[in-house]
Coordinates of all heavy atoms in Angstrom, one line a residue:
A295 N 107.5 -37.6 38.5 CA 106.4 -37.7 37.5 C 105.1 -38.3 38.2 O 105.4 -39.1 39.2 CB 106.8 -38.6 36.3
L296 N 104.1 -38.1 37.6 CA 102.8 -38.7 38.1 C 102.5 -39.9 37.3 O 103.0 -40.1 36.2 CB 101.7 -37.8 38.1 CG 101.8 -36.5 39.0 CD1 100.6 -35.7 39.0 CD2 102.4 -36.8 40.3
M297 N 101.6 -40.8 37.7 CA 101.1 -41.9 36.9 C 99.6 -42.1 37.1 O 99.0 -41.6 38.0 CB 101.8 -43.2 37.3 CG 101.6 -43.5 38.9 SD 102.3 -45.1 39.3 CE 101.0 -46.2 38.5
I298 N 99.0 -42.8 36.2 CA 97.5 -43.1 36.2 C 97.4 -44.5 36.6 O 97.9 -45.4 36.0 CB 96.9 -42.8 34.9 CG1 97.1 -41.3 34.5 CG2 95.5 -43.2 34.8 CD1 96.7 -40.9 33.1
T299 N 96.5 -44.7 37.6 CA 96.3 -46.1 38.1 C 95.1 -46.8 37.3 O 94.4 -46.1 36.5 CB 95.9 -46.1 39.6 OG1 94.6 -45.6 39.7 CG2 96.8 -45.3 40.4
D300 N 95.0 -48.0 37.6 CA 94.0 -48.8 36.8 C 92.6 -48.5 37.2 O 91.6 -49.1 36.7 CB 94.2 -50.3 36.8 CG 94.2 -50.9 38.2 OD1 93.8 -50.2 39.1 OD2 94.7 -52.0 38.4
E301 N 92.3 -47.5 38.1 CA 91.0 -47.0 38.3 C 90.5 -46.0 37.3 O 89.3 -45.6 37.3 CB 90.9 -46.4 39.7 CG 90.9 -47.4 40.8 CD 91.4 -46.8 42.1 OE1 90.9 -46.0 42.7 OE2 92.6 -47.3 42.5
C302 N 91.4 -45.7 36.3 CA 91.0 -44.7 35.2 C 89.8 -45.2 34.5 O 89.7 -46.4 34.1 CB 92.2 -44.6 34.3 SG 91.9 -43.7 32.8
I303 N 88.9 -44.3 34.3 CA 87.6 -44.7 33.6 C 87.6 -44.2 32.1 O 86.6 -44.1 31.4 CB 86.4 -44.1 34.3 CG1 86.5 -42.6 34.5 CG2 86.2 -44.8 35.6 CD1 85.2 -41.9 35.0
N304 N 88.8 -43.8 31.6 CA 89.0 -43.3 30.3 C 88.1 -42.2 29.8 O 87.5 -42.2 28.8 CB 88.8 -44.6 29.3 CG 89.8 -45.6 29.4 OD1 91.0 -45.3 29.3 ND2 89.5 -46.8 29.6
C305 N 88.0 -41.2 30.7 CA 87.0 -40.1 30.4 C 87.6 -39.1 29.5 O 86.9 -38.2 29.0 CB 86.5 -39.5 31.7 SG 87.8 -38.6 32.5
D306 N 89.0 -39.1 29.4 CA 89.6 -38.2 28.5 C 89.6 -36.7 29.0 O 90.0 -35.8 28.1 CB 89.0 -38.2 27.0 CG 89.9 -37.4 26.0 OD1 91.1 -37.5 26.0 OD2 89.2 -36.7 25.2
V307 N 89.3 -36.5 30.2 CA 89.3 -35.1 30.7 C 90.7 -34.5 30.9 O 91.0 -33.3 30.7 CB 88.4 -35.0 32.0 CG1 88.7 -33.7 32.7 CG2 86.9 -35.1 31.7
C308 N 91.6 -35.4 31.3 CA 93.0 -34.9 31.7 C 93.8 -34.6 30.4 O 94.6 -33.7 30.5 CB 93.7 -36.0 32.6 SG 93.8 -37.6 31.7
E309 N 93.7 -35.3 29.4 CA 94.6 -35.3 28.3 C 94.8 -33.8 27.8 O 95.9 -33.4 27.7 CB 94.1 -36.3 27.2 CG 95.2 -36.4 26.1 CD 95.0 -35.5 24.9 OE1 93.9 -35.0 24.8 OE2 96.0 -35.2 24.2
P310 N 93.7 -33.1 27.5 CA 94.0 -31.8 26.9 C 94.5 -30.8 28.0 O 94.9 -29.7 27.6 CB 92.5 -31.4 26.4 CG 91.6 -32.2 27.1 CD 92.3 -33.5 27.5
E311 N 94.4 -31.1 29.3 CA 94.9 -30.2 30.3 C 96.4 -30.2 30.5 O 97.0 -29.3 31.1 CB 94.2 -30.5 31.6 CG 92.7 -30.4 31.6 CD 92.2 -29.0 31.3 OE1 92.9 -28.1 31.7 OE2 91.2 -28.9 30.7
C312 N 97.1 -31.2 30.0 CA 98.5 -31.3 30.2 C 99.3 -30.4 29.4 O 99.3 -30.5 28.2 CB 98.9 -32.8 30.0 SG 100.7 -33.0 30.3
P313 N 100.1 -29.5 30.0 CA 100.9 -28.5 29.2 C 102.1 -29.1 28.6 O 102.7 -28.5 27.7 CB 101.4 -27.5 30.4 CG 101.4 -28.4 31.6 CD 100.3 -29.4 31.5
N314 N 102.4 -30.4 28.9 CA 103.6 -31.0 28.3 C 103.2 -32.1 27.3 O 104.1 -32.9 26.9 CB 104.5 -31.6 29.4 CG 105.0 -30.6 30.3 OD1 105.5 -29.6 29.9 ND2 105.1 -30.8 31.7
E315 N 101.9 -32.3 27.1 CA 101.4 -33.4 26.2 C 102.0 -34.7 26.7 O 102.4 -35.6 25.8 CB 101.7 -33.1 24.7 CG 101.1 -31.8 24.2 CD 101.2 -31.5 22.8 OE1 101.9 -32.4 22.0 OE2 100.7 -30.5 22.3
A316 N 102.0 -34.9 28.0 CA 102.6 -36.1 28.5 C 101.5 -37.3 28.6 O 101.8 -38.4 28.8 CB 103.1 -35.9 29.9
I317 N 100.2 -36.9 28.5 CA 99.2 -37.9 28.6 C 98.6 -38.4 27.3 O 98.4 -37.6 26.4 CB 98.0 -37.3 29.4 CG1 98.5 -36.6 30.7 CG2 96.9 -38.3 29.7 CD1 97.4 -35.9 31.5
S318 N 98.4 -39.7 27.2 CA 97.8 -40.3 26.0 C 97.0 -41.4 26.3 O 97.1 -42.0 27.5 CB 99.0 -40.7 25.0 OG 99.9 -41.6 25.7
Q319 N 96.2 -41.9 25.4 CA 95.4 -43.0 25.6 C 96.2 -44.3 25.3 O 96.8 -44.5 24.3 CB 94.2 -43.0 24.7 CG 93.2 -44.0 24.9 CD 91.8 -43.8 24.2 OE1 91.9 -43.1 23.2 NE2 90.8 -44.4 24.7
G320 N 96.3 -45.2 26.4 CA 97.0 -46.4 26.2 C 96.1 -47.6 25.8 O 94.9 -47.3 25.3
D321 N 96.5 -48.8 25.8 CA 95.7 -49.9 25.4 C 94.5 -50.0 26.3 O 93.4 -50.3 25.7 CB 96.5 -51.2 25.5 CG 97.6 -51.2 24.5 OD1 97.5 -50.5 23.4 OD2 98.6 -52.0 24.6
E322 N 94.6 -49.9 27.5 CA 93.4 -50.1 28.4 C 93.0 -48.8 29.1 O 91.8 -48.6 29.2 CB 93.9 -51.1 29.5 CG 94.5 -52.4 29.0 CD 93.5 -53.6 29.2 OE1 93.0 -53.7 30.3 OE2 93.4 -54.4 28.3
I323 N 94.0 -48.1 29.6 CA 93.7 -46.8 30.3 C 94.6 -45.7 29.8 O 95.5 -46.0 29.0 CB 93.9 -47.0 31.8 CG1 95.2 -47.5 32.1 CG2 92.7 -47.8 32.3 CD1 95.5 -47.5 33.6
Y324 N 94.4 -44.6 30.2 CA 95.2 -43.4 29.9 C 96.6 -43.6 30.6 O 96.7 -44.3 31.6 CB 94.6 -42.1 30.2 CG 93.7 -41.6 29.1 CD1 92.5 -42.3 28.8 CD2 94.0 -40.5 28.3 CE1 91.6 -42.0 27.8 CE2 93.1 -40.1 27.3 CZ 92.0 -40.9 27.0 OH 91.1 -40.5 26.0
Q325 N 97.6 -43.0 30.0 CA 99.0 -43.2 30.5 C 99.6 -41.8 30.5 O 99.4 -41.0 29.7 CB 99.7 -44.2 29.8 CG 99.8 -44.0 28.3 CD 100.2 -45.2 27.5 OE1 100.3 -46.3 28.0 NE2 100.5 -44.9 26.2
I326 N 100.7 -41.7 31.4 CA 101.5 -40.5 31.5 C 102.9 -40.9 31.2 O 103.5 -41.9 31.7 CB 101.5 -39.9 32.9 CG1 100.1 -39.3 33.2 CG2 102.5 -38.8 33.0 CD1 99.9 -38.9 34.6
D327 N 103.6 -40.2 30.2 CA 104.9 -40.4 29.8 C 105.8 -39.8 30.9 O 105.8 -38.5 31.0 CB 105.2 -39.8 28.5 CG 106.7 -40.0 28.1 OD1 107.6 -40.4 28.9 OD2 107.0 -39.8 26.8
P328 N 106.5 -40.6 31.7 CA 107.2 -40.0 32.9 C 108.4 -39.1 32.4 O 108.8 -38.2 33.2 CB 107.8 -41.2 33.6 CG 107.7 -42.3 32.6 CD 106.6 -42.0 31.7
N329 N 108.8 -39.2 31.2 CA 109.8 -38.4 30.7 C 109.3 -37.0 30.3 O 110.1 -36.0 30.1 CB 110.5 -39.0 29.5 CG 111.3 -40.3 29.9 OD1 111.9 -40.4 30.9 ND2 111.1 -41.3 29.1
K330 N 108.0 -36.9 30.1 CA 107.4 -35.5 29.8 C 106.7 -34.9 31.0 O 106.4 -33.7 30.9 CB 106.5 -35.7 28.6 CG 107.1 -36.0 27.3 CD 106.1 -36.0 26.2 CE 106.6 -36.4 24.8 NZ 105.5 -36.5 23.9
C331 N 106.4 -35.6 32.0 CA 105.6 -35.1 33.1 C 106.5 -34.4 34.1 O 107.4 -35.0 34.6 CB 104.8 -36.2 33.8 SG 104.0 -35.6 35.3
T332 N 106.3 -33.0 34.2 CA 107.0 -32.3 35.2 C 106.3 -32.0 36.5 O 106.6 -31.2 37.3 CB 107.4 -30.9 34.6 OG1 106.2 -30.2 34.3 CG2 108.2 -31.0 33.4
E333 N 105.2 -32.8 36.6 CA 104.2 -32.5 37.7 C 103.7 -31.1 37.6 O 103.3 -30.5 38.6 CB 104.8 -32.9 39.1 CG 105.2 -34.4 39.2 CD 105.8 -34.9 40.5 OE1 105.5 -34.1 41.5 OE2 106.4 -35.9 40.5
C334 N 103.7 -30.6 36.4 CA 103.3 -29.3 36.1 C 104.2 -28.1 36.6 O 103.9 -27.0 36.4 CB 101.8 -29.0 36.5 SG 100.6 -29.7 35.4
V335 N 105.3 -28.5 37.1 CA 106.3 -27.5 37.5 C 106.8 -26.7 36.2 O 106.9 -27.3 35.1 CB 107.6 -28.2 38.1 CG1 108.8 -27.3 38.1 CG2 107.3 -28.7 39.5
G336 N 106.8 -25.4 36.4 CA 107.1 -24.5 35.3 C 105.9 -24.0 34.6 O 106.0 -22.9 33.8
H337 N 104.8 -24.6 34.7 CA 103.5 -24.2 34.1 C 102.4 -23.8 35.1 O 101.8 -22.8 34.9 CB 103.0 -25.4 33.2 CG 103.8 -25.7 32.1 ND1 103.9 -25.0 30.9 CD2 104.7 -26.7 31.9 CE1 104.8 -25.6 30.1 NE2 105.3 -26.6 30.7
Y338 N 102.2 -24.6 36.1 CA 101.1 -24.4 37.0 C 101.6 -24.7 38.5 O 102.5 -25.4 38.7 CB 99.9 -25.2 36.7 CG 99.3 -25.0 35.4 CD1 99.5 -25.9 34.3 CD2 98.5 -23.9 35.1 CE1 99.0 -25.7 33.1 CE2 98.0 -23.7 33.9 CZ 98.2 -24.5 32.8 OH 97.7 -24.3 31.6
D339 N 100.8 -24.2 39.5 CA 101.2 -24.5 40.8 C 100.7 -25.9 41.3 O 101.3 -26.4 42.2 CB 100.4 -23.5 41.8 CG 101.0 -22.0 41.7 OD1 102.2 -21.9 41.2 OD2 100.3 -21.1 42.0
T340 N 99.8 -26.4 40.6 CA 99.3 -27.7 41.0 C 99.2 -28.6 39.7 O 98.9 -28.1 38.6 CB 98.0 -27.7 41.6 OG1 97.0 -27.0 40.8 CG2 98.0 -27.0 42.9
P341 N 99.3 -29.9 39.9 CA 99.2 -30.8 38.7 C 97.8 -30.8 38.1 O 96.8 -31.0 38.8 CB 99.5 -32.2 39.4 CG 100.3 -32.0 40.5 CD 99.8 -30.7 41.1
Q342 N 97.7 -30.3 36.9 CA 96.4 -30.0 36.3 C 95.6 -31.3 36.1 O 94.3 -31.3 36.2 CB 96.6 -29.3 35.0 CG 97.2 -27.9 35.1 CD 96.3 -27.0 36.0 OE1 95.3 -26.5 35.7 NE2 96.9 -26.7 37.2
C343 N 96.2 -32.4 35.8 CA 95.5 -33.6 35.6 C 94.8 -34.1 36.8 O 93.7 -34.6 36.8 CB 96.4 -34.7 35.0 SG 97.9 -35.0 36.0
Q344 N 95.5 -33.9 38.0 CA 94.9 -34.3 39.3 C 93.8 -33.5 39.6 O 92.8 -33.9 40.1 CB 96.0 -34.2 40.4 CG 96.9 -35.4 40.5 CD 97.8 -35.3 41.7 OE1 98.2 -34.2 42.1 NE2 98.2 -36.5 42.3
E345 N 93.8 -32.1 39.2 CA 92.8 -31.2 39.5 C 91.4 -31.7 38.8 O 90.4 -31.5 39.4 CB 93.1 -29.9 39.1 CG 94.3 -29.2 39.7 CD 93.9 -28.6 41.0 OE1 92.7 -28.1 41.1 OE2 94.7 -28.5 42.0
V346 N 91.6 -32.2 37.6 CA 90.3 -32.5 36.8 C 89.9 -33.9 36.9 O 88.7 -34.2 36.5 CB 90.6 -32.0 35.3 CG1 90.8 -30.5 35.3 CG2 91.6 -32.8 34.7
C347 N 90.8 -34.8 37.3 CA 90.3 -36.2 37.2 C 89.2 -36.5 38.2 O 89.2 -36.3 39.4 CB 91.5 -37.1 37.6 SG 91.1 -38.9 37.5
P348 N 88.0 -37.0 37.6 CA 86.9 -37.2 38.5 C 86.9 -38.4 39.4 O 86.1 -38.5 40.4 CB 85.7 -37.5 37.4 CG 86.5 -38.0 36.2 CD 87.8 -37.4 36.2
V349 N 87.9 -39.3 39.2 CA 88.0 -40.5 40.1 C 89.3 -40.5 40.9 O 89.6 -41.5 41.6 CB 87.8 -41.8 39.3 CG1 86.4 -41.9 38.7 CG2 88.8 -41.9 38.2
D350 N 90.1 -39.4 40.9 CA 91.3 -39.3 41.6 C 92.2 -40.5 41.4 O 92.6 -41.1 42.4 CB 91.0 -39.1 43.1 CG 90.4 -37.7 43.4 OD1 90.7 -36.8 42.6 OD2 89.6 -37.5 44.4
C351 N 92.4 -40.9 40.2 CA 93.3 -42.0 40.0 C 94.7 -41.7 39.5 O 95.4 -42.5 39.0 CB 92.6 -43.0 39.0 SG 92.5 -42.3 37.3
I352 N 95.1 -40.4 39.7 CA 96.5 -40.0 39.3 C 97.3 -39.8 40.6 O 96.8 -39.0 41.5 CB 96.4 -38.7 38.4 CG1 95.4 -38.9 37.3 CG2 97.8 -38.3 38.0 CD1 95.2 -37.8 36.4
T353 N 98.4 -40.4 40.6 CA 99.2 -40.4 41.9 C 100.7 -40.3 41.5 O 101.0 -40.2 40.3 CB 98.9 -41.8 42.6 OG1 99.9 -41.9 43.6 CG2 99.0 -42.9 41.7
K354 N 101.6 -40.1 42.5 CA 102.9 -40.0 42.3 C 103.4 -41.4 41.7 O 103.0 -42.4 42.1 CB 103.7 -39.8 43.5 CG 103.4 -38.4 44.1 CD 104.6 -37.5 43.9 CE 104.4 -36.1 44.6 NZ 105.3 -35.1 44.1
N355 N 104.3 -41.3 40.8 CA 104.9 -42.6 40.2 C 106.1 -42.9 41.1 O 107.1 -42.3 41.1 CB 105.4 -42.3 38.7 CG 105.9 -43.5 38.0 OD1 106.3 -44.5 38.7 ND2 105.9 -43.5 36.7
P356 N 105.9 -44.1 41.8 CA 106.9 -44.4 42.8 C 108.3 -44.9 42.1 O 109.4 -44.7 42.7 CB 106.4 -45.6 43.5 CG 105.3 -46.2 42.6 CD 104.8 -45.0 41.8
E357 N 108.2 -45.2 40.8 CA 109.5 -45.5 40.1 C 110.1 -44.3 39.5 O 111.2 -44.4 38.9 CB 109.2 -46.6 39.1 CG 108.9 -47.9 39.6 CD 108.3 -49.0 38.6 OE1 108.5 -48.6 37.4 OE2 107.8 -49.9 39.1
K358 N 109.4 -43.1 39.6 CA 110.0 -42.0 39.0 C 109.8 -40.8 40.0 O 109.1 -39.8 39.7 CB 109.4 -41.7 37.7 CG 110.0 -40.6 36.8 CD 111.1 -41.2 36.0 CE 111.6 -40.1 35.1 NZ 112.8 -40.4 34.3
A359 N 110.3 -40.9 41.2 CA 110.2 -39.9 42.2 C 111.2 -38.9 42.0 O 112.4 -39.1 41.8 CB 110.4 -40.5 43.6
E360 N 110.8 -37.6 41.9 CA 111.7 -36.5 41.6 C 111.4 -35.3 42.6 O 110.3 -35.1 43.0 CB 111.5 -36.0 40.2 CG 111.9 -37.0 39.1 CD 111.0 -36.9 37.9 OE1 109.7 -37.0 38.0 OE2 111.6 -36.6 36.8
D361 N 112.5 -34.6 42.9 CA 112.3 -33.3 43.7 C 112.0 -32.2 42.8 O 112.2 -32.3 41.6 CB 113.4 -33.2 44.7 CG 114.7 -32.9 44.1 OD1 114.7 -32.4 42.9 OD2 115.7 -33.1 44.7
K362 N 111.7 -31.0 43.4 CA 111.4 -29.9 42.6 C 112.6 -29.5 41.7 O 112.3 -29.0 40.5 CB 111.1 -28.7 43.5 CG 109.6 -28.6 44.0 CD 108.9 -27.7 43.1 CE 107.4 -27.4 43.5 NZ 106.5 -28.5 43.8
D363 N 113.8 -29.6 42.1 CA 114.9 -29.2 41.2 C 115.0 -30.1 40.0 O 115.2 -29.6 38.9 CB 116.2 -29.3 42.0 CG 116.5 -28.2 43.1 OD1 115.7 -27.2 43.0 OD2 117.3 -28.3 43.9
Q364 N 114.7 -31.3 40.2 CA 114.8 -32.3 39.1 C 113.7 -32.0 38.1 O 113.8 -32.1 36.9 CB 114.7 -33.7 39.6 CG 115.9 -34.2 40.3 CD 115.7 -35.5 40.9 OE1 114.9 -35.7 41.8 NE2 116.6 -36.5 40.6
L365 N 112.5 -31.6 38.7 CA 111.3 -31.3 37.8 C 111.6 -30.0 37.0 O 111.2 -30.0 35.9 CB 110.1 -31.2 38.7 CG 109.6 -32.6 39.3 CD1 108.6 -32.4 40.4 CD2 109.1 -33.5 38.2
W366 N 112.2 -29.1 37.6 CA 112.6 -27.8 37.0 C 113.6 -28.1 35.8 O 113.5 -27.6 34.7 CB 113.2 -26.8 38.0 CG 112.2 -25.9 38.5 CD1 111.7 -25.8 39.7 CD2 111.4 -24.8 37.8 NE1 110.8 -24.8 39.9 CE2 110.6 -24.2 38.7 CE3 111.5 -24.4 36.5 CZ2 109.7 -23.1 38.3 CZ3 110.6 -23.4 36.1 CH2 109.8 -22.8 37.1
A367 N 114.5 -29.0 36.1 CA 115.5 -29.3 35.1 C 114.8 -30.0 33.9 O 115.1 -29.7 32.7 CB 116.6 -30.2 35.7
K368 N 113.8 -30.9 34.2 CA 113.1 -31.5 33.1 C 112.3 -30.5 32.3 O 112.3 -30.5 31.1 CB 112.2 -32.6 33.7 CG 111.6 -33.5 32.6 CD 110.4 -34.3 33.2 CE 111.0 -35.3 34.2 NZ 109.8 -36.2 34.6
Y369 N 111.7 -29.6 33.0 CA 110.9 -28.5 32.3 C 111.8 -27.7 31.4 O 111.5 -27.4 30.2 CB 110.3 -27.6 33.4 CG 109.8 -26.3 32.8 CD1 108.6 -26.2 32.1 CD2 110.5 -25.1 33.0 CE1 108.2 -25.0 31.6 CE2 110.1 -23.9 32.5 CZ 109.0 -23.8 31.8 OH 108.5 -22.6 31.3
E370 N 113.0 -27.3 31.9 CA 113.9 -26.5 31.1 C 114.4 -27.4 29.8 O 114.5 -26.8 28.7 CB 115.1 -26.1 31.9 CG 114.7 -25.1 32.9 CD 115.8 -24.7 34.0 OE1 116.9 -25.5 33.9 OE2 115.7 -23.8 34.8
K371 N 114.6 -28.6 30.1 CA 115.0 -29.5 29.0 C 113.9 -29.6 27.9 O 114.2 -29.6 26.7 CB 115.5 -30.8 29.5 CG 116.2 -31.7 28.5 CD 116.8 -33.0 29.3 CE 116.9 -34.1 28.3 NZ 116.5 -35.4 28.8
L372 N 112.7 -29.7 28.4 CA 111.6 -29.9 27.5 C 111.2 -28.7 26.6 O 110.9 -28.7 25.5 CB 110.3 -30.4 28.2 CG 110.3 -31.8 28.7 CD1 109.1 -32.0 29.7 CD2 110.1 -32.8 27.5
T373 N 111.4 -27.5 27.3 CA 110.9 -26.3 26.6 C 112.1 -25.4 26.1 O 111.8 -24.5 25.3 CB 110.1 -25.4 27.7 OG1 111.0 -25.1 28.8 CG2 108.9 -26.2 28.3
G374 N 113.3 -25.7 26.6 CA 114.4 -24.8 26.2 C 114.4 -23.5 27.0 O 115.2 -22.6 26.7
N375 N 113.4 -23.4 27.9 CA 113.4 -22.1 28.8 C 114.4 -22.2 29.9 O 114.4 -23.3 30.6 CB 112.0 -21.9 29.3 CG 111.0 -21.4 28.3 OD1 111.4 -20.9 27.3 ND2 109.8 -21.7 28.5
K376 N 115.0 -21.1 30.2 CA 116.0 -21.2 31.4 C 115.5 -20.1 32.3 O 115.0 -19.1 31.9 CB 117.4 -20.9 31.0 CG 118.0 -22.2 30.3 CD 118.8 -22.9 31.4 CE 119.4 -24.2 30.7 NZ 119.9 -25.1 31.7
Ligands
SF4_584 FE1 100.8 -33.4 32.6 FE2 101.0 -31.9 34.8 FE3 99.6 -34.2 34.8 FE4 102.3 -34.3 34.6 S1 101.1 -33.5 36.3 S2 100.8 -35.4 33.4 S3 102.7 -32.4 33.4 S4 99.1 -32.3 33.7
SF4_585 FE1 91.5 -41.5 33.4 FE2 91.3 -39.6 35.3 FE3 92.3 -39.0 32.9 FE4 89.7 -39.5 33.1 S1 90.8 -37.8 34.0 S2 91.1 -40.3 31.6 S3 89.7 -41.1 34.7 S4 93.2 -40.4 34.4

């Protein structure tokens, strides 16, 4: 999963781009639900939130490091697609 660092400027550009609705506005900055973020695996070739973030504050979540197989499995679980 990816995560948003405290450099986030709350611009709201990323939230509508997420195919998994993993992004929401938190108390101080935007946040990514690691249980919903597939790093866009299953939907796009590249993480859409990272593509649009104007300050590049979205990075890998070190506490939720996953390989492609794990991200695919999460995608299948979230969508019911096999
Ligand atoms: Fe959503 Fe993709 Fe960003 Fe994860 S990488 S939060 S799935 S847009
Ligand atoms: Fe924050 Fe970047 Fe999302 Fe804007 S696009 S709300 S700066 S994480």
Side-chain angles (χ1 to χ4, degrees):
L296 301 188
M297 60 172 285
I298 295 171
T299 72
D300 58 14
E301 282 152 72
C302 172
I303 56 170
N304 292 308
C305 71
D306 188 46
V307 164
C308 56
E309 189 270 336
E311 298 300 325
C312 180
N314 295 320
E315 296 183 6
I317 304 175
S318 61
Q319 190 168 19
D321 289 340
E322 309 251 316
I323 54 172
Y324 276 66
Q325 57 194 11
I326 293 174
D327 180 345
N329 296 316
K330 289 188 183 171
C331 174
T332 63
E333 300 182 18
C334 283
V335 165
H337 296 280
Y338 300 103
D339 290 339
T340 54
Q342 297 300 289
C343 54
Q344 273 184 332
E345 296 276 332
V346 297
C347 179
V349 294
D350 289 334
C351 68
I352 305 175
T353 168
K354 292 253 188 198
N355 186 337
E357 288 171 16
K358 194 85 179 175
E360 296 150 300
D361 64 24
K362 274 268 188 302
D363 287 346
Q364 290 171 302
L365 292 167
W366 266 110
K368 192 192 293 183
Y369 164 76
E370 288 169 354
K371 195 168 149 225
L372 284 169
T373 62
N375 286 338
K376 285 260 176 195

